[in-house]
Amino acid sequence: REWKAAGRSGVLPKSVEIIATVARSEQPADGVAAIRFFPEGASTGGRVLLKNGRAQWQVDVGWLIGDVKLKRVEGQR
């Protein structure tokens, strides 16, 4: 439930479910996922879905230019 990125870290509440879809090379172990950003602007790309009850936040990262899009979606339990 801990996260670390760019020298920062935090803890997500247990009520938040995380579903990550990332490149296989960015999944070094079960329960571990990452999206890598490269200096030229590209990334390994992927999607992270944060769910808390019916509320869902979807974070999409494009691989070609590393663009990040955040969208709140209503999900079903």
Side-chain angles (χ1 to χ4, degrees):
R1 307 297 317 172
E2 272 188 55
W3 63 268
K4 296 178 184 178
R8 301 174 73 180
S9 64
V11 178
L12 289 174
K14 290 183 189 267
S15 62
V16 176
E17 180 182 359
I18 305 166
I19 301 169
T21 305
V22 300
R24 184 174 306 276
S25 62
E26 302 303 318
Q27 295 176 303
D30 285 344
V32 177
I35 297 174
R36 189 183 315 236
F37 291 86
F38 301 106
E40 72 279 0
S43 77
T44 56
R47 171 176 287 165
V48 178
L49 185 64
L50 302 170
K51 297 171 73 173
N52 190 0
R54 290 179 53 113
Q56 297 182 18
W57 294 266
Q58 181 176 303
V59 182
D60 290 312
V61 180
W63 64 270
L64 184 60
I65 60 171
D67 57 320
V68 178
K69 296 178 184 169
L70 174 65
K71 176 171 67 169
R72 182 171 178 169
V73 294
E74 290 298 319
Q76 298 183 10
R77 286 195 127 218

